[in-house]
Amino acid sequence: MKQEEHPWIKLKRYPHIGFPLKHKSIPYLESYITNKDKIKSHSFLPFIRRDLFQRRFRIVKQDNPNSKRQRKKDIKPREILFASHFDAQIYSYYSFLLMDKYNKLLKTKSFNDAVVAYRKLPLFEGSKKNKCNIDFALDAFTFINNNQDKELTVIVSDITNFFNSLDHKILKRKWAELWEPNSRSLPEDHYNVFKSLTNVRYVKEKLLFHKYKNKIWVKTGSPNDPKTTKLRQKPIKKIQYLRENNAIAYCKKGDFFKSGLQLICSSNETKGIPQGTALSATLANIYMLDFDEEIQNYINSNDVKGFYQRYSDDIILVVPRNKQKETLSKMRMLIEEEVKLKIQPTKTKVYHFEKENDVFKGVEVDETTNEKKNRALEYLGFEYNGQRVLLKTAGLSKFYRSMKSTFKKKTSLAKYADSTEQKLYKSSLYKRFTYRGANRRMHHNQKKVSYSYNRSNYQTYINKANAVFYEFNGGNHIKRQSRKFWGNFHELMEGHERDIKNHGKRKVKI
């Protein structure tokens, strides 16, 4: 059965309660999930909750103006919930149904082009390729650039704890209205899906791992026939080693029902939905329908004639300078009163774009005093100062930290793992962090009748961003930002190879 017949089926292999689904399960998936009677009484397994801590830095102001600036580490926790493999397909199917209704509705609205996240928007009419964040950033910067004859205010903001703050009553009402206009109630199958996302049951990933770490299910190859795989249970010391050991399940469903039910936690909040399911992003867009329409109507009014775009919880507004105060007030009022959410005060940035001595410039300014802060506009991972667009330095730094961390893990594995040789496996490192892995190539899998791509890397993203912004920038300014990566990569390679070699000498000496 071809994947094209079921665009909502997306089989994954992350470890969960129960084994991953196989391609031969697709006929059963379709017959079960498209049956409303089955779904209205379906019992959803608990989610697995993973707490991610993203390292961020913020500048610490010094009393002494002559002292150096310091940066204080700011840890931002984020909860990601993973649905079981079967439940994930249910969420994907209902996302498919709702997104179809949502897109048809937006074609009748003025803000069709303004809501850009989680949608397939073609690069141009008839194109088979869709836009991504690079293209959306280009749209915003192009509008600013095309209005150099005006004094512009650009407002960039994001919503506080977006997914965790969605009001359940508003969500249910907007879901029902979209599915059947003027309706206030959901069909029974939809309501059961709604309940699973609002009355959340979950298991903390670390507790689940701790309980089953001595008998994790993994997929291994046969010693005599690498193409033949088998499932077996084995102990895994640390949770970060799950991927290296090709773990596919913490336990079987039956084993969890016998011995793991005490791990289940319940959330009885009146706000929030899990971030991580295929349906969550679709519901977030549906939830914001009223806000999108109100703000777009304001932006389109004759005395404003500006630009509005929303990428999930990231909002950008471009208006004439004399509309700055009114626009800020309008946006905050609609967010708080229309959709019962909050704007992050520290993340609401105001920028002024205008010509100075015939040079078009844009800088961040204080919202109240208009005092210049000499920082470029930041949006969707890019910086724009009125002259050219560059990647945010934070993104480049994150990539370098990831490269350092991966080298450290690979070196530790080479030094201490009994199952590997004492050497770095360079091929995977080159593919992940250099231009050698940047080219995406399509592969045709005849056995599964499907197509797949080589895994691209950050250099792929840089190349694409450079190509998209080449004409806008008038050159390869984005590509030049990565010129140090090759040298950094080989510096790390030499250092870690030396570390492995010295470790081997010490081991022999002992």
Side-chain angles (χ1 to χ4, degrees), residues 484-499:
K484 293 183 180 180
F485 285 170
W486 184 255
N488 292 338
F489 177 84
H490 281 281
E491 185 178 336
L492 288 170
M493 180 74 77
E494 291 171 5
H496 284 275
E497 282 190 318
R498 188 163 52 248
D499 185 18

Side-chain angles (χ1 to χ4, degrees), residues 14 106-107 134 142 159 183 206 274 278 289 293 377 411 429 450 462 493 497:
Y14 53 84
L106 257 60
K107 287 181 179 179
I134 303 171
T142 298
I159 300 168
S183 175
K206 289 185 177 179
L289 275 167
E293 185 160 30
L377 165 63
T411 300
L429 291 169
S450 63
I462 292 174
M493 180 74 77
E497 282 190 318

Side-chain angles (χ1 to χ4, degrees), residues 2 56 88 170 180 189 199 277 323 338 356 366 393 474:
K2 294 182 179 180
R56 298 191 174 189
I170 296 176
E180 188 175 340
D189 56 320
N199 298 326
T277 76
K323 292 294 180 180
E338 192 73 45
E356 293 183 7
D366 185 275
T393 54

Side-chain angles (χ1 to χ4, degrees), residues 350-353 361-365 372-377:
V350 176
Y351 303 87
H352 285 177
F353 280 80
K361 292 183 179 180
V363 294
E364 184 184 346
V365 298
K372 293 182 178 179
K373 299 183 180 180
N374 199 30
R375 287 199 285 269
L377 165 63

Side-chain angles (χ1 to χ4, degrees), residues 32-59:
Y32 185 98
I33 293 175
T34 57
N35 187 325
K36 298 176 183 179
D37 292 330
K38 295 282 188 183
I39 300 303
K40 73 180 184 183
S41 59
H42 178 77
S43 180
F44 289 82
L45 280 171
F47 290 90
I48 291 180
R49 192 182 101 178
R50 178 183 299 169
D51 295 327
L52 301 178
F53 295 90
Q54 186 174 1
R55 186 176 73 169
R56 298 191 174 189
F57 290 92
R58 54 188 172 89
I59 296 174

